[in-house]
């Protein structure tokens, strides 16, 4: 396999791309604490003398002490140019990765519950973030990737190693990128249709978005054809929100409603201002309890919540 081209990100520029290995750092990860703290990868194979491991010229002697070919090949991968591989593990709910230097260090005190028989020293320390800083939580990773965590032996090449490299390097799968582009194009098309909605249909769209995000309209406070005030409740958080729905609105109108919201903080936990066609640029308030749903946010929510076809049917 040829190496993939590296982007401008300095963290990507020297990532080994030839292979990847998963390692446990001891049964149940018992050596993980020391490995993470000291920038190491810990291994067992305590039955093999340290001198043979440090200078493995006679692999036949090592092979005679290992029961299975799979285990022997795993050890060879640790001893021979481990710097050419990316090393990963799963601990504390995250995928961690590092690179290492060639050459092992034998534990002079012998294998214990806290340290392995020998270890590799990290060239780049363990990290649970991608090259661009994305947290690599297992709950966010594909099942084909996290399935590696169930591997029972010490070291293996994951079946999904190419996908793992892409994730660490913040590269997207080709099919996923195509789907994302199609979704973005569809959102742009939905945005055009949202801006054409009759005010009553637009009000209903906002109602549907609220309902599908946990909010229920409890009352209509009043309004005209150009806008309507709604009171909505979220039973799970026990919050009441003040919702203003307008087809068009300027910054001064937004400021006016923010002022009304601030006067009723005793009742309302948050304010939602939905407007599909702002007049000029709307500056979002720094107050995080005030949400502004402009046309782009509304189109994104409509698509994400499965309301795209509903919008299509309402356009005349």
């Amino acid at each position: 396999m040829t190496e993939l081209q590296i982007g401008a990100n300095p963290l990507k520029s020297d990532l080994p791309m030839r292979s990847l290995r998963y390692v446990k750092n001891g049964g149940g990860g018992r050596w993980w604490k020391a490995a993470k703290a000291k920038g190491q990868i810990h291994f067992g194979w305590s039955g093999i003398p340290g001198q043979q491991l440090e200078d493995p010229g006679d692999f036949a002697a090592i092979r005679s002490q290992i029961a299975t070919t799979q285990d022997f090949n795993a050890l060879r991968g640790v001893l021979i140019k481990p710097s050419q591989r990316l090393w990963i593990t799963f601990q504390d709910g995250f995928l961690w990765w590092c690179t290492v230097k060639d050459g092992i260090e034998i534990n002079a005190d012998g294998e214990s519950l806290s340290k392995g028989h020998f270890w590799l020293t990290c060239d780049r320390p363990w990290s649970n973030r991608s090259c661009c800083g994305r947290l690599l939580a297992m709950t966010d990773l594909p099942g084909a990737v996290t399935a590696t965590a169930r591997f029972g032996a010490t070291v293996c090449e994951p079946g999904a190693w190419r996908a793992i490299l892409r994730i660490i390097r913040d590269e997207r799968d080709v099919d996923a990128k195509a789907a994302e582009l199609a979704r973005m194009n569809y959102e742009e098309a939905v945005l055009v249709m949202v801006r054409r909605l009759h005010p009553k249909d637009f009000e209903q769209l906002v109602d549907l978005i609220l309902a599908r995000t946990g909010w229920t309209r409890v009352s209509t406070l009043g309004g005209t054809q150009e806008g309507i005030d709604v009171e909505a409740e979220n039973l799970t958080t026990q919050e009441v929100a003040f919702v203003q729905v307008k087809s068009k609105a300027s910054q001064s109108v937004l400021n006016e409603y923010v002022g009304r919201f601030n006067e009723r903080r005793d009742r309302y936990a948050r304010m939602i201002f939905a407007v599909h066609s702002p007049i000029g640029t709307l500056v979002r308030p720094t107050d995080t309890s005030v949400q502004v749903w402009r046309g782009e946010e509304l189109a994104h929510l409509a698509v994400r919540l499965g309301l795209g076809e509903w919008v299509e049917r309402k356009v005349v």
Side-chain angles (χ1 to χ4, degrees):
M1 172 183 174
T2 58
E3 286 200 20
L4 300 179
Q5 293 298 310
I6 308 295
N9 190 317
L11 283 177
K12 293 183 181 182
S13 62
D14 60 347
L15 271 186
M17 300 303 297
R18 285 178 285 278
S19 62
L20 178 148
R21 293 293 185 273
Y22 164 76
V23 61
K24 271 191 174 302
N25 282 289
R30 65 178 181 273
W31 301 325
W32 168 244
K33 185 175 180 180
K36 179 174 179 289
K38 297 182 179 181
Q40 300 166 338
I41 304 178
H42 283 238
F43 303 91
W45 285 291
S46 58
I48 302 175
Q51 184 177 357
Q52 289 185 5
L53 292 170
E54 287 181 304
D55 185 20
D58 185 3
F59 269 108
I62 294 177
R63 177 67 182 90
S64 67
Q65 301 171 72
I66 298 179
T68 68
T69 300
Q70 181 181 12
D71 204 24
F72 172 69
N73 289 336
L75 179 54
R76 278 179 61 95
V78 173
L79 301 177
I80 298 178
K81 295 184 179 179
S83 63
Q84 295 184 3
R85 299 178 176 88
L86 197 69
W87 295 83
I88 69 162
T89 194
F90 293 93
Q91 289 290 338
D92 307 323
F94 297 98
L95 183 156
W96 299 80
W97 64 275
C98 71
T99 59
V100 298
K101 303 173 184 177
D102 289 331
I104 66 170
E105 181 178 345
I106 301 297
N107 184 354
D109 298 325
E111 182 179 315
S112 66
L113 290 176
S114 60
K115 296 181 180 179
H117 177 39
F118 68 95
W119 50 77
L120 291 167
T121 300
C122 292
D123 179 44
R124 180 176 290 146
W126 289 105
S127 172
N128 64 346
R129 292 185 178 274
S130 68
C131 289
C132 292
R134 182 170 65 93
L135 200 61
L136 301 174
M138 291 179 67
T139 53
D140 295 335
L141 300 176
V145 170
T146 57
T148 305
R150 298 194 293 271
F151 180 72
T154 302
V155 178
C156 76
E157 180 182 78
W161 69 270
R162 291 179 178 83
I164 296 172
L165 282 175
R166 285 198 301 269
I167 290 167
I168 291 172
R169 286 166 48 84
D170 293 287
E171 296 173 347
R172 297 291 305 280
D173 175 81
V174 173
D175 292 334
K177 288 176 66 175
E180 180 185 32
L181 179 60
R183 176 174 50 80
M184 292 174 63
N185 290 335
Y186 183 52
E187 284 184 12
E188 291 180 5
V190 170
L191 171 59
V192 172
M193 292 184 288
V194 166
R195 287 174 173 163
R196 292 177 54 195
L197 290 176
H198 185 276
K200 289 298 181 182
D201 291 329
F202 179 51
E203 176 191 339
Q204 188 179 358
L205 173 63
V206 174
D207 263 351
L208 290 170
I209 291 174
L210 288 170
R212 296 191 185 190
T213 54
W215 295 92
T216 303
R217 181 193 291 216
V218 292
S219 66
T220 300
L221 305 178
T224 66
Q225 188 178 12
E226 288 76 27
I228 187 165
D229 298 341
V230 173
E231 196 174 84
E233 182 180 22
N234 190 313
L235 294 177
T236 59
T237 61
Q238 296 184 329
E239 292 181 339
V240 178
F242 169 58
V243 183
Q244 171 60 207
V245 182
K246 280 188 173 295
S247 297
K248 297 181 180 180
S250 63
Q251 183 68 45
S252 61
V253 173
L254 172 60
N255 294 342
E256 176 188 348
Y257 280 95
V258 171
R260 295 186 191 182
F261 166 65
N262 287 329
E263 293 173 356
R264 297 295 311 275
R265 291 275 189 159
D266 56 332
R267 175 160 179 76
Y268 300 122
R270 67 182 64 249
M271 169 184 162
I272 298 172
F273 190 85
V275 51
H276 64 58
S277 301
I279 301 172
T281 301
L282 293 186
V283 178
R284 299 172 182 274
T286 56
D287 185 351
T288 57
S289 60
V290 176
Q291 298 180 17
V292 179
W293 293 353
R294 298 172 304 179
E296 292 80 5
E297 288 85 0
L298 289 160
H300 174 73
L301 286 169
V303 172
R304 187 174 182 183
L305 297 171
L307 294 168
E309 291 186 28
W310 183 94
V311 174
E312 294 171 26
R313 294 195 300 270
K314 293 296 181 176
V315 174
V316 295

